[in-house]
Amino acid sequence: MEWTRGKCIGKGAFGTVHLAVHRATGRAFAVKSVDAKGGAPAAAMACLETEIRILRRLCSPYVVAYIGDDATAASRNLHMELVSGGSAADAAVARGA
């Protein structure tokens, strides 16, 4: 799948999440990336690989949908459903957790 990376919409302990657009369809999705050029520790890459394996098999209305994944010389990428409304951390803060 050919896609274009957009603006950063989040950062986590081991990766970043960007808005992305599928070039052929114009469909927007989120892409979580871990730097493959030695910038990220091996544990970060292992965590992303585990997340990919779990999301590939999971189908739940309560979990963002897996769209696909890819790897380039620069990064390992997980393509996910784009969900509006911020992050899970934002929701926890809003609830007062």
Side-chain angles (χ1 to χ4, degrees):
M1 168 170 53
E2 291 188 23
W3 56 278
T4 301
R5 186 182 307 272
K7 72 175 185 168
C8 180
I9 57 175
K11 288 190 175 209
F14 62 84
T16 57
V17 180
H18 287 83
L19 180 62
V21 177
H22 185 273
R23 288 185 188 159
T25 66
R27 178 181 178 193
F29 62 95
V31 61
K32 182 185 285 188
S33 302
V34 172
D35 183 11
K37 287 193 168 190
M45 193 64 73
C47 285
L48 185 64
E49 292 297 341
T50 299
E51 187 173 359
I52 289 169
R53 279 194 307 277
I54 291 168
L55 287 177
R56 275 183 183 154
R57 290 180 251 150
L58 192 62
C59 182
S60 169
Y62 304 105
V63 179
V64 295
Y66 169 85
I67 294 175
D69 62 272
D70 67 48
T72 67
S75 63
R76 180 71 169 113
N77 305 298
L78 165 59
H79 308 171
M80 303 174 290
E81 168 188 22
L82 181 63
V83 180
S84 63
S87 68
D90 296 337
V93 169
R95 283 193 329 260

